Amino acid sequence: MEKSKALKIVKTILIILALSIIIEAGVVAYHFVINQLYQKFHFIGNETIEIAKEDFEIEEDEATQTITIKNPDGQKIYNVSLQMKDANQDVYLRILYNNDAKFMPKENADATKFKVYFPSGIETEEFSLNYAKSQIDIENIDKVLINDNIDYMPEITFSFVQMLIVFVVLTGIYGIYKLYKISQGTEKRIKKEWLFAGLALVIGVALVFVNAPQVRYDEHAHFWRAYEIASGNIISRTTNELPNSVIDLFRRADKSYPNKEIDYETIQEKIGEELNEDEKTPFAVGATGSLTPISYIPQVIGIFIGRILQLSPMIILYLGRLTNLLAYIAIVFFAIKIIPSEKWKMIIMMIALFPMSMNLAATVSPDTVIIGVSLLAIAYAMHLKFESKTITFKNIVLLGILCMIPTVCKVVYFPLCLLVFLLPKEKFESKSKKILSWIIVFAIVFIPYLGLNRIVALGDYEIAIRTNMTEQILFTLSSLPRDCLTALNTMYSEFSNYFFEMIGGWNTIQILSIILFIMLLIIMFKKEENAKKLEFTKKDKIIFWIMIAIETLGVVAAMYLGWTQAKQTVVEGVQGRYLLPILPLLCILLSKGKFEWKIKNKEMKYAIILAVIYIIVCGFSIRSYM
């Protein structure tokens, strides 16, 4: 039965793919027919004649000016355009020909061109343009065009990008329909880790290909660093070489970096470029050279495969995105699977499926590793606290490794190691083993951090120095009231930015972020059916608050000292995504069963809302790059 269902889904997807191809083929056919019609009616395919202003004959009286223009070749006229240098609104412009006259309206919204059509064509030796002197400055006139061609005709080519967009949209609609049908049926429990995996895979793959390779989240610099590591250069140096094709992937036409104008047309042009690893240049990857290789393990796997297969740099970038996405899905899958409470599972799933989380997972950003492993570390600590009968050194070592990974990526997340203090003392064989466990976790977290950072520090990567940290520290220590004012100023001016960036990111309109936040609140405060009694002691709550406070202050302090210009009273550089590893701690701590709300097949209904939101998100992204 399950096999037949899987075959049915595969058949449906193949039908959607075929339908997408047919739709794109229909668009191509339509453009071909329109192109032929436009040529027949002389909208395109004309031999355009340009009449410079020097060849005008100008007459004027007190109120009007008249420009007389000769038809140099005596050819049939199908349209006449008056090209302006700058915009020129509110003009009553007439063309006079063969004892007849016609109004000449604006051709475009910019009001830089006025154009009149003659469907059957006219034959005349000359014609005149008449207008009020007060409405057109003769100096603003550029030229007159006879039989001008329209310049907005699309190419008659089959676009795989458009076909893919149609496929993603139709697949999304089909997915929403199936989820809706399930939600209308009998109550059916679906494991949340599998629901997450299915949603994240579809959403993530869509974002991988919908979002153009961009400088958002510094993807260009992270790609260069990941490629450097994949080439065997763990330590970043200015003498390390990268292929010219990889360096140029984000180069502007003027040879500067980074190119923020990459669109689907640019992708099509670059996707066929050869890698040519023999043509290399010493290249400094910049500030990303200071990041440890652990941040880039998933991306490096994809890039390494692409290098072995000698694929184009653009395809290698996409491979890096895909392996980063798959690693993220796998890590969060296990986080949801092992965390005890059904409510906590939903909290982890919601945060992991935030548009910001998924946008990062669909790039080569190292933040993916930080967010995913932070969720897994929290989930594993909750599993040990509430579900494990005893805690072994093997459990402690694994918890230490999970806390170590985000720390070596960004040291501000070191408070995760305080999770070890949440573990009940009765689950250890003795008090000495409990204390030894604390020591092991701290050693696993900080020894690799110090070691890896010493290794990375051997590099000579180039970082632009924009701050004076010594001056900033002196300024901060000099006045405690001013520090408090800085914190208040920052929260007042930036809180909404932090909130919407943390949830939605750049391609999510604010109302969608608010809907997602409301969904998270409903999950947090709705009473859980058949809930286990999972309660925190007063000591546990204090530890949670300490972790949240230190991580939050660490993020803010890092940006204040390392990014904010000295003597500023507002912290610069803090982005909402830096707070994502902290959010699950806060949500788990505050989650309480405050109200009853019977929601049948609630997981499916949440999934439907998420699917609709992501169709809108993908649509916004597509519009940005068309």
Side-chain angles (χ1 to χ4, degrees):
M1 185 68 180
E2 294 299 323
K3 188 176 179 182
S4 64
K5 283 183 179 179
L7 284 173
K8 188 176 179 181
I9 291 171
V10 170
K11 285 180 182 178
T12 304
I13 290 173
L14 290 175
I15 290 169
I16 292 173
L17 179 61
L19 184 60
S20 303
I21 293 170
I22 291 169
I23 290 172
E24 179 58 25
V27 171
V28 172
Y30 172 82
H31 286 159
F32 176 78
V33 171
I34 289 296
N35 187 278
Q36 296 301 307
L37 286 172
Y38 279 22
Q39 287 193 53
K40 179 179 179 181
F41 292 107
H42 301 280
F43 299 131
I44 58 175
N46 302 311
E47 292 184 19
T48 303
I49 300 172
E50 292 190 8
I51 311 295
K53 188 159 52 172
E54 297 78 43
D55 298 323
F56 294 175
E57 293 181 13
I58 302 173
E59 297 178 0
E60 62 179 278
D61 55 28
E62 290 183 3
T64 65
Q65 281 183 333
T66 301
I67 299 172
T68 301
I69 297 163
K70 303 288 185 185
N71 184 357
D73 296 340
Q75 67 178 23
K76 204 168 190 180
I77 298 175
Y78 293 97
N79 66 71
V80 174
S81 298
L82 178 64
Q83 178 70 59
M84 315 300 290
K85 294 176 183 176
D86 299 308
N88 204 121
Q89 302 282 356
D90 301 327
V91 179
Y92 182 74
L93 176 63
R94 296 185 305 155
I95 182 169
L96 311 173
Y97 61 97
N98 298 343
N99 298 319
D100 204 349
K102 199 169 186 180
F103 177 60
M104 198 168 179
K106 291 180 292 188
E107 184 210 47
N108 53 33
D110 297 331
T112 54
K113 187 185 280 189
F114 296 80
K115 192 170 187 178
V116 62
Y117 288 95
F118 301 98
S120 302
I122 59 170
E123 294 180 355
T124 182
E125 296 297 321
E126 64 178 32
F127 57 86
S128 301
L129 306 179
N130 178 260
Y131 54 87
K133 285 166 48 172
S134 60
Q135 293 181 329
I136 292 182
D137 182 357
I138 191 67
E139 296 300 320
N140 192 31
I141 295 175
D142 184 21
K143 58 191 172 185
V144 168
L145 304 169
I146 298 175
N147 293 339
D148 185 22
N149 295 301
I150 61 176
D151 57 4
Y152 43 79
M153 293 295 291
E155 292 184 30
I156 309 173
T157 56
F158 188 95
S159 171
F160 286 97
V161 172
Q162 288 183 176
M163 186 270 288
L164 182 63
I165 291 169
V166 172
F167 175 74
V168 168
V169 171
L170 292 179
T171 304
I173 293 170
Y174 169 71
I176 291 171
Y177 169 74
K178 292 298 291 182
L179 290 172
Y180 174 75
K181 293 294 287 184
I182 293 170
S183 71
Q184 293 300 106
T186 57
E187 181 74 21
K188 185 177 179 180
R189 289 286 178 184
I190 182 169
K191 289 188 175 180
K192 293 173 179 60
E193 61 267 26
W194 287 108
L195 179 61
F196 164 77
L199 286 170
L201 187 62
V202 173
I203 292 165
V205 170
L207 291 173
V208 162
F209 294 104
V210 162
N211 289 342
Q214 262 288 9
V215 294
R216 286 187 175 92
Y217 321 124
D218 300 318
E219 189 176 20
H220 64 298
H222 292 306
F223 178 58
W224 292 329
R225 175 58 173 152
Y227 200 98
E228 181 180 57
I229 296 169
S231 303
N233 296 310
I234 303 300
I235 299 172
S236 187
R237 302 184 188 277
T238 54
T239 55
N240 289 347
E241 293 184 331
L242 290 180
N244 294 339
S245 56
V246 171
I247 297 169
D248 292 343
L249 192 61
F250 292 96
R251 196 194 292 268
R252 291 191 183 95
D254 63 0
K255 307 299 183 184
S256 63
Y257 296 103
N259 182 7
K260 295 184 180 181
E261 289 75 47
I262 292 179
D263 53 20
Y264 294 138
E265 188 177 340
T266 307
I267 294 170
Q268 285 185 304
E269 291 171 2
K270 288 183 174 286
I271 210 159
E273 292 179 357
E274 294 184 4
L275 179 59
N276 291 330
E277 282 214 311
D278 293 333
E279 298 180 10
K280 294 183 177 180
T281 302
F283 187 77
V285 300
T288 54
S290 64
L291 300 179
T292 55
I294 289 178
S295 310
Y296 295 100
I297 290 174
Q299 307 90 309
V300 166
I301 292 170
I303 291 169
F304 185 77
I305 293 169
R307 288 183 66 241
I308 295 295
L309 298 176
Q310 288 291 292
L311 301 174
S312 75
M314 185 64 76
I315 295 177
I316 290 175
L317 174 62
Y318 279 118
L319 273 177
R321 282 180 161 194
L322 284 170
T323 51
N324 202 27
L325 171 68
L326 292 175
Y328 177 75
I329 293 172
I331 293 167
V332 178
F333 175 91
F334 285 109
I336 297 170
K337 184 179 178 66
I338 65 174
I339 201 166
S341 163
E342 291 297 312
K343 177 180 287 191
W344 293 350
K345 288 178 189 290
M346 285 297 293
I347 288 171
I348 296 292
M349 186 177 79
M350 280 297 301
I351 293 171
L353 286 173
F354 276 172
M356 174 55 84
S357 304
M358 292 305 302
N359 273 314
L360 289 168
T363 68
V364 294
S365 171
D367 287 324
T368 302
V369 171
I370 297 171
I371 296 167
V373 179
S374 294
L375 292 172
L376 184 55
I378 295 166
Y380 190 60
M382 296 302 101
H383 169 74
L384 293 179
K385 179 175 177 64
F386 293 109
E387 291 190 330
S388 183
K389 291 181 180 178
T390 60
I391 297 174
T392 66
F393 283 129
K394 182 180 176 182
N395 300 139
I396 291 299
V397 169
L398 181 53
L399 179 62
I401 292 170
L402 293 175
C403 295
M404 175 269 294
I405 291 172
T407 302
V408 298
C409 294
K410 287 183 181 176
V411 70
V412 294
Y413 301 115
F414 82 87
L416 282 172
C417 66
L418 299 181
L419 287 167
V420 72
F421 294 130
L422 295 172
L423 304 182
K425 60 183 179 181
E426 58 270 15
K427 295 193 176 185
F428 294 94
E429 291 181 7
S430 64
K431 185 176 181 180
S432 60
K433 286 192 175 181
K434 181 183 75 169
I435 295 171
L436 183 58
S437 297
W438 296 349
I439 295 170
I440 290 172
V441 168
F442 278 81
I444 291 174
V445 169
F446 288 104
I447 291 174
Y449 166 74
L450 295 171
L452 281 169
N453 276 275
R454 282 179 71 91
I455 292 170
V456 171
L458 296 173
D460 59 350
Y461 43 84
E462 297 177 348
I463 300 178
I465 305 298
R466 72 186 299 273
T467 62
N468 186 327
M469 189 175 292
T470 302
E471 186 68 38
Q472 189 73 308
I473 292 172
L474 294 173
F475 178 71
T476 303
L477 295 176
S478 66
S479 174
L480 187 59
R482 188 174 57 231
D483 296 339
C484 295
L485 184 61
T486 298
L488 290 172
N489 285 342
T490 303
M491 289 300 294
Y492 178 78
S493 61
E494 300 296 331
F495 179 80
S496 63
N497 291 334
Y498 298 159
F499 176 82
F500 290 115
E501 284 177 1
M502 179 178 65
I503 297 175
W506 66 272
N507 57 358
T508 307
I509 56 178
Q510 292 185 353
I511 186 62
L512 298 182
S513 295
I514 292 171
I515 290 170
L516 288 168
F517 181 66
I518 292 171
M519 288 172 64
L520 182 60
L521 291 178
I522 290 171
I523 292 167
M524 287 171 57
F525 298 117
K526 180 182 173 294
K527 285 185 179 178
E528 187 178 347
E529 298 170 17
N530 304 317
K532 297 178 184 177
K533 196 160 186 177
L534 307 174
E535 293 185 354
F536 295 112
T537 65
K538 191 173 289 186
K539 183 197 83 171
D540 294 336
K541 293 176 182 178
I542 291 170
I543 292 169
F544 264 102
W545 283 118
I546 289 172
M547 293 169 63
I548 292 165
I550 294 175
E551 286 196 22
T552 304
L553 290 173
V555 168
V556 175
M559 291 295 102
Y560 185 62
L561 297 175
W563 187 258
T564 306
Q565 298 287 342
K567 301 182 182 179
Q568 285 275 21
T569 54
V570 173
V571 181
E572 299 175 346
V574 177
Q575 297 183 39
R577 59 192 167 109
Y578 301 155
L579 305 176
L580 278 171
I582 305 167
L583 183 60
L585 292 169
L586 186 64
C587 292
I588 289 172
L589 177 62
L590 298 179
S591 63
K592 297 285 182 184
K594 295 293 185 183
F595 63 90
E596 293 268 8
W597 189 3
K598 286 282 185 182
I599 305 176
K600 187 178 179 182
N601 282 324
K602 57 182 175 297
E603 291 88 355
M604 291 296 102
K605 290 181 170 67
Y606 288 141
I608 289 169
I609 295 170
L610 284 168
V612 171
I613 285 173
Y614 270 103
I615 287 177
I616 298 170
V617 167
C618 287
F620 185 91
S621 297
I622 290 166
R623 191 191 71 171
S624 301
Y625 298 117
M626 291 296 283

